[in-house]
Amino acid sequence: MAVECPVLRPSGDQPLLLPAVALACLGVLQPGIDPVFLTLLSSAHGLSPDRHGWIVSASQCGMALGALVTWQYGRRLSGPIFPTAALVALLAALATAWTGDFALLLGLRCLFGLATGVLYTQAMSNAAAHRPHGAYGAVFLCQLGVATAVALLLPTIADTAGAAIALATLAIAPLCALAICVRYPQAVSRREPATPARASGGPGHSDTRAWAAAGATLLFICATMMVWSFAGALAIDAGISEATIGQAVAVGSLAGAATAFFVMRERPAVPPALTGPLSGLSLICPILATRDGDPILFIVSIILLNIGSTAIIVRSSGLASAAGRDGLFRRFVACTHPLGMTLGPVAGSLASLAFGAGGLLYAAVTAILSACLLLAFADLAPGGLRWRRTSYESLDEYLTNVQP
């Protein structure tokens, strides 16, 4: 597979994918660095760890709101809205580094999430217009790689210059997003190019299958976030050290990045109806692995979680986007990502409160089974999602100008 540097050369009406992929990656970067970000926030402002959940919730709720607004009103948003959103994210990131007031921090993180939700949803929709699997795979690959690099660099910056300076360096991400919006407005263009489904004149009932695939995406993300949000607490309760948890997260991120690289192709190696159950089993591994307190087993379970979640989210997102008929639906598919990241931890918490220790497992299994049924319907129904002609473009072709 060729991996030469992509050529940034727009031609006629062809979409320019690399800026949209890069912008989407920056828009969804924050969830990947939250553990390090929250540690620095406590060091810089003395924020109590028991308030970390409020900070994360404020960011994710803002992002979900931004995604919902863009989904519904993306065609009405004027061009300057997107550079303005990047500027708002930049100012919120800088203010976070120098503000210790808890209420103000909540407002700033909600504002930051709102701005990044707008950017991510529009950029991801545009990137997925013609190469849905490749676009989602590329965004996951870039996000995991950048998040890992940032997580490794921030502690070093904090040790050298202080936690506040380290937090301020995170403003580089929205600054880059602003530069992309200004230099490559195609990344957030409001154009509504015909998707493969529209161009091919697919059967009228394909809308139902597309919505089923989108629903499966939302549920798989919810299940992933249920388990991911509680994995650390479950491990600590089982006597697993924080160092082991950190190692598991780092190795799991690398495994997720490798998985994203291999699932970028438009043609699935494993039928989606089978990918769902296999990935679903991997998602619940951390819950089962923490019962015995074996650190090696926990690390393996986190690796499996990252592999399974990356594979199924890229695949189901790509299937849904490929079957969608317009930009409104593609924005909804992108919208399922921040929605799932917001709803998943809430559902896991409610299930744990209602049903005790086993509640998290019950909720995760219910979400996974429901998602598998929806994905099987989308894939196996007569005239299912696999009607689309597939190809084996190289990585550089995914990220450059391509014909519809």
Side-chain angles (χ1 to χ4, degrees):
M1 177 180 288
V3 292
E4 294 86 355
C5 294
V7 178
L8 297 177
R9 188 176 61 232
S11 175
D13 292 329
Q14 296 174 324
L16 191 63
L17 296 189
L18 181 57
V21 167
L23 186 57
C25 168
L26 293 170
V28 79
L29 176 63
Q30 184 63 40
I33 62 173
D34 267 341
V36 178
F37 166 76
L38 293 169
T39 300
L40 292 175
L41 202 60
S42 291
S43 298
H45 304 309
L47 185 69
S48 173
D50 61 10
R51 291 186 168 185
H52 284 180
W54 289 98
I55 297 294
V56 174
S57 296
S59 298
Q60 291 183 340
C61 288
M63 190 173 185
L65 178 60
L68 286 171
V69 169
T70 309
W71 166 40
Q72 283 296 313
Y73 303 105
R75 294 190 67 179
R76 301 179 188 177
L77 297 179
S78 61
I81 286 292
F82 301 104
T84 301
L87 180 60
V88 168
L90 171 62
L91 296 176
L94 288 173
T96 297
W98 308 110
T99 302
D101 182 76
F102 180 62
L104 188 54
L105 279 174
L106 287 179
L108 287 172
R109 298 320 295 173
C110 184
L111 196 61
F112 179 87
L114 178 68
T116 55
V118 169
L119 294 172
Y120 171 75
T121 305
Q122 185 66 27
M124 191 70 253
S125 171
N126 284 0
H130 298 288
R131 291 293 183 269
H133 300 83
Y136 276 101
V139 169
F140 270 65
L141 176 62
C142 294
Q143 192 263 5
L144 288 166
V146 173
T148 301
V150 170
L152 292 174
L153 288 174
L154 283 181
T156 302
I157 297 173
D159 291 340
T160 304
I165 297 298
L167 285 174
T169 61
L170 290 176
I172 294 174
L175 180 61
C176 291
L178 177 60
I180 292 173
C181 288
V182 173
R183 177 64 181 84
Y184 299 106
Q186 306 99 314
V188 285
S189 169
R190 291 176 297 156
R191 291 184 305 169
E192 301 290 339
T195 62
R198 177 190 287 176
S200 67
H205 59 278
S206 66
D207 284 347
T208 303
R209 297 193 304 273
W211 281 102
T217 303
L218 177 62
L219 289 171
F220 276 122
I221 295 173
C222 283
T224 298
M225 293 307 297
M226 282 183 208
V227 179
W228 181 253
S229 300
F230 287 89
L234 291 173
I236 291 174
D237 290 342
I240 297 173
S241 68
E242 292 183 1
T244 300
I245 296 173
Q247 293 170 1
V249 171
V251 177
S253 295
L254 293 176
T259 304
F261 183 83
F262 285 109
V263 298
M264 285 174 65
R265 292 184 173 185
E266 298 299 306
R267 182 177 181 179
V270 179
L274 180 58
T275 304
L278 291 176
S279 298
L281 290 173
S282 73
L283 297 184
I284 62 174
C285 283
I287 300 177
L288 304 177
T290 51
R291 294 185 173 182
D292 296 330
D294 186 336
I296 301 299
L297 193 59
F298 175 73
I299 292 175
V300 172
S301 72
I302 293 296
I303 292 173
L304 291 174
L305 169 67
N306 277 269
I307 291 174
S309 62
T310 302
I312 193 57
I313 293 170
V314 170
R315 185 56 63 201
S316 59
S317 299
L319 286 170
S321 294
R325 293 183 178 275
D326 54 26
L328 179 66
F329 184 79
R330 286 196 309 275
R331 288 194 296 274
F332 173 74
V333 176
C335 187
T336 62
H337 290 218
L339 283 178
M341 289 189 290
T342 302
L343 296 176
V346 173
S349 297
L350 292 177
S352 297
L353 288 174
F355 302 105
L360 181 64
L361 179 61
Y362 301 150
V365 169
T366 300
I368 290 167
L369 287 177
S370 301
C372 287
L373 290 175
L374 286 173
L375 190 60
F377 168 76
D379 184 42
L380 300 178
L385 298 179
R386 291 175 294 172
W387 59 266
R388 184 184 177 195
R389 183 178 61 84
T390 58
S391 57
Y392 286 100
E393 291 87 355
S394 59
L395 178 59
D396 58 305
E397 291 175 307
Y398 279 127
L399 302 181
T400 53
N401 299 300
V402 291
Q403 292 285 357

